[in-house]
Amino acid sequence: MATEKSKREPEEKGKESAREAALDFIREVINKDLETNKYGGRVATRFPPEPNGYLHIGHAKSICLNFGIAREYNGICHLRMDDTNPCKEETEYVEAIHNDVRWLGFDWGKHEYYASDYFQQIYEWAVKLIKAGKAYVCDLSADEVHDHRGTLTTPGKDSPYRNRSVAENLDLFERMRAGEFSDGSRTLRAKIDMASPNLNLRDPVMYRILKTPHHRTGDKWCIYPTYDWVHGQSDSIERITHSICTLEFENHRPLYDWFVENLGIHHPQQIEFARLNITYTMLSKRKLLHLVKGNFVRGWDDPRMPTIAGLRRRGYTPAAMRNFCKDIGLTKTESVIDVTRLENSLRDDLNKTAMRVMGVLHPLRLIIDNYPDNQTEELDAVNNPEDAGMGTRKVPFSKELYIEEEDFREDPPKQFFRLSPGREVRLRYAYYVTCSKVEKDASGKITTVHCTYDPATKGGDSPDHRKVKATLHWVSAKHAVDTEVRLYDHLFTKPDPEDAEEGKDWTSNINPKSLEILTGKLEPSVTKAKPGDRFQFERLGYFCLDADTTPQKFVFNRSVTLRDSWAKIEKGQKE
RNA sequence: UACCCGGUGGUGUAAUCGGUAACACUACAGGUUUUGGUCCUGUCAUUCGAGGUUCGAGUCCUCGCCGGGUAGCCA
């Protein structure tokens, strides 16, 4: 094993350094800023979620980026809750965010912040802009503001309230804060340019009246700053150097720049990257919320969900997710990642780390006619052929076994190497067996396969070195542990879930067969497992013990199948 | 129809000051194998188009074409 490792290491190191050599465009900007000493050698990033839902794999990309950069540059990464809309935010989500970021392997230390902690400062800066004649109270309704904004191709019109005196603005704004006006009746707006080709600069709203209690500030405020007004200033307050965000905020950057410049405060550099898209996967927080609220799934942590909580329950490891985020790269090009990339990252990780075990999903009885009736043998099985350090275990063997239905064909097609009448195969770690006959029920369905075994092949090797073309997994019938197994398929039937037929919406693409539940048989060693433990069921896939498990009933989630080249061949034969 | 951003193989990313288009995944073909897994080997693009600058262009210039974003008091 030691020699194998030393053989592999140079390769892996080579790959690492090659990866490091090719810096992504964001790290290039940071390097440049370090060279020019733009921020005095500091690197400070932040991950700024709104606590209005669970984090998903797209957020994982951002988390890995922001915390990763901080780690690499010996900098710092803040966790900041962007909680500026009291109507949508809940403490439950804050806790879920903590959980998920930590689970992914990142630590914000003491640097946890809330935009709501800055409300007073933000308010004072608003007053400052009013005094400078750069913000005004506007009495237009939401609809009227919309009408005045103009369109993508035509300029907007100034609000009739745009030229109020500073004194009047100050008075009105103070009374907005005091709760004198009803929700939506007035706003504070930045005075920029109603004719700007960038609509974000057409006197954007900075404050709205919202008499709704906030999850942290309670009823202290009845006016709340908009995201556009608060976000950049929050970054500035925290002295963030590089504000990394997704592409849709590119058009907002001029506005954020306008705010910090007119306030004369620290100016972070915003850098935008393309958000993650994955085939057969929905990555819109709003729509994921709809899936949960509409009971299309069993909750935020349903193993079919692309949420971090869902993937965790499915059996994903933090390392697999981090590797995935690293592998997909970072650009400004909008792209769609094939979901098999995500699955492959899990296979890669679990192949090296998961304990092997034998389990049968679709049991077919197999009787070894020439095996002693009441005999049980304890056979040695390797726990992980990739890691000898994981040792071996004993697996009980007896006359009656279960094998996988798929592993027997009475009339084998071309290239089918598994068991069929007259054919000899290996039962993993046990014996060579040859099929002598089958039993069928009235409908013609095969109920039992009879075999004879060769006692000389104990352990799975034949002294005469004769070859068998297949090795089957099996479970001893009288030692088998029943388990519920949940098999998952993509939550959506189309690569692009948004691609709905005329007159239908994205929910019409939800896969009605995304969950299949069955009862399987497992070797008894799994009874020691704890929820969250991951296994490879040999020749089938990776499975994770679910939290629904009770002392009476095991529940396994299939995290991902193994690659299956026979399935591919068979599919090709049918076409 | 305005503004902003993007366009390299089936997919995702690379390619210092312009200098032989590289890596990974997939697919396909082999090899190893007590998992049809893993692992190993091989094969698969002249960079959206047209001009231009240059000894030399994926990189620079011009004009097109295509895709995405933007008209919340959401973030």
Side-chain angles (χ1 to χ4, degrees):
Chain A
M1 186 193 68
T3 51
E4 261 199 26
K5 262 192 181 163
S6 56
K7 254 186 233 163
R8 252 192 241 159
E9 260 173 20
E11 275 175 47
E12 281 173 359
K13 272 180 189 164
K15 279 180 194 167
E16 266 315 305
S17 57
R19 250 184 232 138
E20 280 163 15
L23 283 184
D24 59 69
F25 75 102
I26 291 181
R27 278 171 250 249
E28 270 171 16
V29 171
I30 293 173
N31 284 351
K32 207 159 286 169
D33 289 346
L34 252 18
E35 274 167 35
T36 60
N37 206 32
K38 186 172 174 184
Y39 295 108
R42 282 191 316 122
V43 173
T45 57
R46 101 266 98 125
F47 173 62
E50 184 191 14
N52 67 342
Y54 278 58
L55 266 22
H56 56 61
I57 179 84
H59 296 108
K61 179 178 175 184
S62 174
I63 292 166
C64 290
L65 215 208
N66 281 293
F67 281 95
I69 284 172
R71 195 175 281 174
E72 289 158 36
Y73 288 89
N74 203 12
I76 192 171
C77 180
H78 297 177
L79 175 65
R80 184 178 67 240
M81 304 295 167
D82 260 333
D83 54 352
T84 58
N85 186 348
C87 310
K88 294 185 174 180
E89 293 144 11
E90 293 173 26
T91 309
E92 176 202 342
Y93 297 133
V94 172
E95 284 159 13
I97 289 166
H98 288 159
N99 219 3
D100 291 345
V101 175
R102 261 193 221 110
W103 179 78
L104 265 183
F106 299 101
D107 182 10
W108 55 91
K110 58 186 181 189
H111 299 286
E112 177 177 354
Y113 304 103
Y114 290 78
S116 54
D117 287 343
Y118 307 140
F119 282 174
Q120 183 60 36
Q121 173 66 263
I122 298 290
Y123 179 84
E124 285 164 20
W125 277 336
V127 169
K128 185 176 174 181
L129 287 182
I130 293 172
K131 286 180 178 165
K134 289 171 179 167
Y136 62 97
V137 172
C138 179
D139 299 359
L140 256 24
S141 71
D143 285 346
E144 290 165 331
V145 168
H146 175 264
D147 291 342
H148 280 71
R149 186 150 34 225
T151 72
L152 294 175
T153 51
T154 56
K157 298 189 295 262
D158 284 1
S159 161
Y161 307 98
R162 199 173 198 262
N163 293 314
R164 290 219 252 232
S165 69
V166 167
E168 190 183 2
N169 281 322
L170 249 17
D171 173 63
L172 251 15
F173 187 47
E174 175 53 39
R175 288 164 61 197
M176 276 170 65
R177 177 190 192 170
E180 283 189 33
F181 311 119
S182 59
D183 282 13
S185 61
R186 275 177 235 261
T187 56
L188 183 75
R189 300 175 68 183
K191 194 188 226 177
I192 306 180
D193 178 9
M194 288 307 292
S196 171
N198 182 342
L199 302 236
N200 294 121
L201 264 20
R202 318 243 264 227
D203 290 11
V205 170
M206 296 165 63
Y207 270 98
R208 71 276 213 193
I209 301 171
L210 233 41
K211 290 177 178 163
T212 303
H214 184 277
H215 76 118
R216 298 190 90 235
T217 61
D219 51 14
K220 184 174 178 200
W221 296 88
C222 65
I223 56 172
Y224 291 95
T226 57
Y227 175 86
D228 272 350
W229 164 232
V230 83
H231 185 81
Q233 279 52 254
S234 299
D235 284 347
S236 182
I237 288 169
E238 294 179 17
R239 301 191 62 71
I240 299 301
T241 56
H242 301 273
S243 301
I244 301 167
C245 63
T246 44
L247 251 28
E248 68 268 31
F249 294 105
E250 210 157 21
N251 292 331
H252 296 241
R253 181 157 28 93
L255 172 59
Y256 302 161
D257 289 347
W258 187 91
F259 281 137
V260 291
E261 276 158 22
N262 281 281
L263 253 14
I265 57 177
H266 169 72
H267 190 156
Q269 176 62 53
Q270 175 169 303
I271 310 170
E272 307 86 7
F273 70 96
R275 70 182 321 137
L276 175 64
N277 299 293
I278 304 179
T279 56
Y280 299 99
T281 307
M282 176 59 71
L283 290 180
S284 148
K285 232 175 168 184
R286 211 192 86 235
K287 288 174 180 164
L288 293 178
L289 178 67
H290 185 74
L291 289 174
V292 173
K293 297 290 180 200
N295 294 314
F296 294 101
V297 294
R298 295 178 172 188
W300 284 105
D301 68 344
D302 187 303
R304 291 167 292 182
M305 290 282 274
T307 50
I308 295 175
L311 291 165
R312 173 168 60 231
R313 189 164 178 183
R314 176 79 169 253
Y316 273 77
T317 61
M321 303 210 12
R322 279 189 250 113
N323 289 338
F324 172 75
C325 291
K326 185 162 63 178
D327 285 348
I328 55 178
L330 189 71
T331 59
K332 296 190 72 159
T333 316
E334 294 249 22
S335 61
V336 185
I337 307 292
D338 195 314
V339 69
T340 57
R341 287 284 283 263
L342 180 61
E343 296 168 351
N344 283 339
S345 73
L346 214 215
R347 290 187 181 109
D348 277 355
D349 189 31
L350 259 21
N351 176 48
K352 287 176 256 163
T353 58
M355 168 99 173
R356 268 60 168 176
V357 109
M358 290 196 285
V360 174
L361 262 31
H362 298 95
L364 172 62
R365 184 181 303 270
L366 182 149
I367 298 177
I368 303 171
D369 293 322
N370 61 337
Y371 193 85
D373 282 352
N374 296 311
Q375 181 171 309
T376 294
E377 291 182 85
E378 295 286 326
L379 302 173
D380 290 308
V382 172
N383 287 333
N384 187 341
E386 304 293 314
D387 181 0
M390 287 176 74
T392 62
R393 68 185 186 286
K394 298 286 188 185
V395 185
F397 182 86
S398 63
K399 185 181 181 85
E400 266 192 48
L401 311 171
Y402 292 113
I403 61 165
E404 207 68 57
E405 252 175 23
E406 280 199 334
D407 286 339
F408 180 84
R409 290 290 186 84
E410 192 175 22
D411 186 18
K414 229 182 235 170
Q415 292 184 80
F416 181 88
F417 303 144
R418 282 110 96 145
L419 197 61
S420 60
R423 189 180 286 174
E424 183 172 54
V425 299
R426 171 168 38 232
L427 294 178
R428 184 147 226 227
Y429 301 127
Y431 295 96
Y432 284 16
V433 295
T434 304
C435 174
S436 50
K437 63 180 178 191
V438 300
E439 283 178 43
K440 296 180 185 177
D441 65 14
S443 70
K445 186 178 187 286
I446 294 168
T447 55
T448 305
V449 174
H450 288 268
C451 291
T452 57
Y453 83 119
D454 176 357
T457 58
K458 182 168 179 178
D461 267 323
S462 66
D464 62 359
H465 298 108
R466 68 180 188 273
K467 298 280 184 200
V468 287
K469 285 185 123 173
T471 299
L472 309 189
H473 61 277
W474 50 271
V475 175
S476 166
K478 70 178 166 199
H479 302 94
V481 178
D482 280 351
T483 180
E484 175 173 322
V485 180
R486 299 175 181 168
L487 307 182
Y488 301 102
D489 194 2
H490 303 142
L491 229 200
F492 292 91
T493 54
K494 292 200 177 159
D496 176 7
E498 305 274 10
D499 175 25
E501 288 168 38
E502 274 288 312
K504 293 186 177 174
D505 72 355
W506 60 279
T507 57
S508 68
N509 289 328
I510 293 174
N511 181 3
K513 297 183 199 143
S514 59
L515 170 63
E516 182 189 349
I517 298 176
L518 44 81
T519 302
K521 306 277 187 186
L522 299 176
E523 66 168 72
S525 72
V526 295
T527 51
K528 290 183 292 239
K530 306 258 178 307
D533 283 356
R534 306 174 183 93
F535 297 88
Q536 181 192 108
F537 292 3
E538 293 221 30
R539 303 209 302 131
L540 296 175
Y542 295 97
F543 293 76
C544 177
L545 193 64
D546 191 80
D548 285 348
T549 295
T550 66
Q552 288 75 38
K553 185 174 125 187
F554 275 79
V555 178
F556 273 97
N557 295 311
R558 185 172 68 194
S559 311
V560 65
T561 61
L562 249 33
R563 282 201 182 84
D564 188 349
S565 49
W566 163 241
K568 223 176 281 173
I569 293 166
E570 202 182 22
K571 200 180 160 200
Q573 287 176 348
K574 282 177 183 165
E575 277 162 7

